[in-house]
Amino acid sequence: MNRVFQCKFPLLQAPLSGGPWTPELTAAAVHADCAGCVAGAYLTPSMLRTAIERTSVLVGHRSSSRPLASVAVNLFLPSLLATSSSDESATPPPPVSIAAFKQAAVLAWSLFHQVCPQLQDGNAAHLNFIQNEALVKQYRSCDSILDGEEFESCLEVVLAARPAAVTLTFGLPDDDRYAHECHKRGVALMPTVTSPEEFDAVMEQLASDASARRPMRYAGVVCQGVEAGGHRATFPAPDAAEAMTLSTSAQTAVTGGSCHGVSDAADTNDAVRRVLLGEPVAVPTSANHLNPRSRTIPADWLPTRTLVARVVGAAFHGTKDRALCRQLRSTRLSDTSPGVFLIVGAGGVHCGRGMADIILGAGGDAVQVGTPFLLARESGTALRYRRALRAAATWTADDTAFTRAYSGRYARGIVNRFAVAMDTAHARLAAPPPNAKNDKNLLECRANEGGGAFKAAAIPGMDDDALDSGDAMRACTFPYLNRITQPIRALAKEARHGGCGELPTDPYTECLSLWAGSCAKDAVCAFPDGTSAADICKSITADYASLAAVTVRV
């Protein structure tokens, strides 16, 4: 670990993008002799430069020659810059039309109004978002995310600051030019993997480096297990028609049931589609009727310890490329080796025992910890987010689950009503009944009935032929859905609600993306709201050191 990060303990603070991360949080982790991470995702190049400069000032006294020697920067890799599908014949999906983008926006905002009807500013914000000029601006803002222009500008900012490492989420670069730039600046490059198959892709790229006698492009990997909170860092973007297998209770929302005011599957599908026509559709009055623990998790979504153990085996003892494995082993066993290959486990760690499980039990080099820092004194976690996390102390078990409701990518967080409603809509749009009307006719009706603010024909570049369920579902993917729900989340975060007190009486928490890992209950109980990040680091690492000492003696 200390061959990449100048720190004493093998603990890396997770990036916590989207609000909870602050420069003060990373500085506190570094001052506790751990490694910190700047959350670069969602930041523009200028915002990222400011964040890095502030972080550098806060931790700079530790190393005058390289202030960020204990700090990584995390970036989301755009899909167009990532390696292609293993299926060479696969063709990229057609681009999302602005008509479909508007269709998805109408759906999301309609569900928001039903979950939070008390919000007086909601209608104005809704109309403002879908008016021609604003909608086109939001739609076009996705281009810089998809084509990689903003990513490359952000990477230039990062490399100029020379942090210890750059960690990547959502794939591997399609060539070695980014690795080459990192090597020139002495910055380690570390992708995130969520499965052994994804790590196989890493090994293929390392094998090509070895055969060409080039330096290894990656200095290690972050292995994200199924317990991790926030976005699941899978390589390919989720297929637009893919639907998560829901629990029995959630299937009631999909296939029909009295709590949703519908009687059978066809009626449910029509009910969801009537959202697009402006008619109210019943959404659950509470998310408590769901049992997220009963959701079916795909078999290849591995726990962190299992994933780390599999990756360790493939990297150092695999049979596909024995020469490469020998080379990787040599970097691990020799302090004088010119290379290094770290394996970091992420997900489910809130204490020293969890840390020991990954490092001593599975053979990893370090852990990445996120959920325990959400309530840290230095974090930027919003008030309503903190209230929801504090309520986790009363859970009888893990009440987090995966949803695609807020960004279009799977992410683990606390279940709420908007997530349930949006995921239900996803499932219904992905599987329309054979006798359903086509979406083009539905949207034409919606435009005619909704007045000028909703008229599809008024949008520049609107293509009526694109209004089908497949195009609508592609608009419910990242980054389109993330842009659509961004103002919804902002409204819910800032809305005033007199006398709301603690949860569950505050309705606006039901429209926030409340990312948290499966260890949320234990983390909140161990580290109450306001605990310093330094104390969190010291507690986890002290427990780990005690367990490691016992293991060595045994």
Side-chain angles (χ1 to χ4, degrees):
M1 178 72 170
N2 57 16
R3 292 171 64 190
V4 173
F5 300 96
Q6 290 184 11
C7 61
K8 179 180 179 181
F9 299 109
L11 186 153
L12 173 63
Q13 159 249 317
L16 304 178
S17 299
W21 178 81
T22 64
E24 290 74 16
L25 180 63
T26 290
V30 171
H31 291 313
D33 268 323
C34 298
C37 187
V38 173
Y42 305 130
L43 300 184
T44 65
S46 62
M47 293 166 63
L48 181 56
R49 182 179 293 105
T50 301
I52 290 175
E53 288 174 352
R54 174 62 178 163
T55 304
S56 181
V57 168
L58 292 173
V59 303
H61 73 274
R62 289 179 58 86
S63 173
S64 57
S65 61
R66 192 174 183 181
L68 300 179
S70 304
V71 176
V73 178
N74 175 257
L75 297 174
F76 286 179
L77 184 69
S79 57
L80 291 183
L81 298 181
T83 50
S84 60
S85 167
S86 58
D87 180 3
E88 299 269 341
S89 63
T91 57
V96 171
S97 69
I98 194 169
F101 185 75
K102 183 172 185 177
Q103 183 179 3
V106 171
L107 172 62
W109 280 95
S110 298
L111 293 176
F112 168 66
H113 288 313
Q114 294 171 64
V115 172
C116 289
Q118 307 91 336
L119 190 55
Q120 298 300 313
D121 296 333
N123 289 330
H126 177 187
L127 295 175
N128 180 65
F129 182 85
I130 65 170
Q131 68 176 317
N132 300 350
E133 196 171 310
L135 187 77
V136 171
K137 182 179 179 181
Q138 290 288 341
Y139 172 75
R140 289 177 177 165
S141 71
C142 296
D143 291 342
S144 61
I145 299 174
L146 290 170
D147 65 18
E149 179 181 344
E150 193 162 279
F151 170 83
E152 294 187 343
S153 298
C154 285
L155 186 60
E156 289 178 8
V157 171
V158 172
L159 294 181
R162 295 185 64 233
V166 171
T167 61
L168 297 177
T169 302
F170 301 145
L172 302 176
D174 55 4
D175 59 39
D176 64 350
R177 58 194 171 108
Y178 301 124
H180 179 67
E181 291 299 318
C182 288
H183 285 156
K184 284 200 305 185
R185 306 294 183 94
V187 177
L189 186 61
M190 300 176 62
T192 305
V193 300
T194 63
S195 69
E197 292 74 22
E198 290 178 355
F199 184 68
D200 287 343
V202 173
M203 291 290 280
E204 288 177 8
Q205 291 191 348
L206 295 179
S208 70
D209 293 336
S211 63
R213 299 193 176 184
R214 294 188 300 259
M216 290 190 301
R217 68 187 72 188
Y218 303 125
V221 291
V222 177
C223 301
Q224 186 193 47
V226 73
E227 305 97 326
H231 282 97
R232 186 160 170 78
T234 45
F235 281 14
D239 185 89
E242 181 184 5
M244 185 73 159
T245 303
L246 303 178
S247 66
T248 302
S249 297
Q251 285 174 1
T252 302
V254 176
T255 60
S258 59
C259 70
H260 286 262
V262 291
S263 58
D264 56 39
D267 286 345
T268 305
N269 187 83
D270 290 340
V272 172
R273 287 163 184 272
R274 283 200 300 272
V275 172
L276 301 176
L277 296 173
E279 298 178 16
V281 176
V283 295
T285 56
S286 169
N288 293 335
H289 74 283
L290 276 179
N291 178 7
R293 295 181 301 282
S294 67
R295 291 191 176 195
T296 302
I297 301 296
D300 58 348
W301 290 20
L302 301 178
T304 306
R305 174 172 175 158
T306 303
L307 178 59
V308 169
R310 300 260 307 259
V311 167
V312 167
F316 305 119
H317 309 288
T319 58
K320 291 183 179 179
D321 192 328
R322 295 182 186 275
L324 177 59
C325 289
R326 284 196 299 270
Q327 182 179 347
L328 292 176
R329 280 201 305 272
S330 70
T331 66
R332 196 177 219 205
L333 298 175
S334 172
D335 289 337
T336 61
S337 172
V340 62
F341 197 78
L342 294 179
I343 296 178
V344 180
V349 177
H350 72 281
C351 62
R353 184 170 297 278
M355 190 172 176
D357 205 32
I358 302 302
I359 298 175
L360 303 178
D365 297 294
V367 295
Q368 181 171 278
V369 177
T371 300
F373 291 115
L374 289 172
L375 289 180
R377 184 172 64 224
E378 299 85 352
S379 78
T381 306
L383 176 61
R384 285 191 167 97
Y385 197 165
R386 288 179 180 271
R387 285 174 176 163
L389 287 166
R390 288 200 298 267
T394 64
W395 293 350
T396 57
D398 172 30
D399 279 336
T400 62
F402 286 97
T403 179
R404 291 170 55 190
Y406 293 98
S407 71
R409 276 189 172 272
Y410 285 124
R412 182 186 279 276
I414 299 172
V415 178
N416 57 19
R417 293 172 59 208
F418 183 85
V420 173
M422 197 67 180
D423 283 342
T424 301
H426 279 175
R428 287 296 85 210
L429 287 173
N435 59 347
K437 292 181 179 179
N438 65 66
D439 295 281
K440 178 179 177 181
N441 290 340
L442 289 174
L443 263 291
E444 287 174 350
C445 293
R446 184 66 184 93
N448 292 333
E449 295 179 4
F454 293 90
K455 283 188 178 295
I459 297 293
M462 179 71 76
D463 180 5
D464 288 341
D465 294 334
L467 296 179
D468 58 38
S469 60
D471 203 16
M473 285 303 296
R474 282 191 294 275
C476 289
T477 57
F478 186 87
Y480 300 102
L481 189 59
N482 188 64
R483 285 289 196 227
I484 289 169
T485 64
Q486 193 174 47
I488 290 175
R489 288 174 277 138
L491 270 175
K493 183 173 75 171
E494 303 297 336
R496 294 187 178 185
H497 183 61
C500 64
E502 295 292 322
L503 288 177
T505 57
D506 182 354
Y508 306 118
T509 307
E510 301 292 345
C511 289
L512 290 175
S513 52
L514 305 170
W515 304 144
S518 63
C519 67
K521 173 181 169 66
D522 293 329
V524 170
C525 292
F527 307 111
D529 195 353
T531 305
S532 74
D535 286 344
I536 293 171
C537 290
K538 290 173 183 177
S539 174
I540 295 174
T541 55
D543 287 348
Y544 166 72
S546 299
L547 291 168
V550 171
T551 303
V552 170
R553 286 198 299 271
V554 172

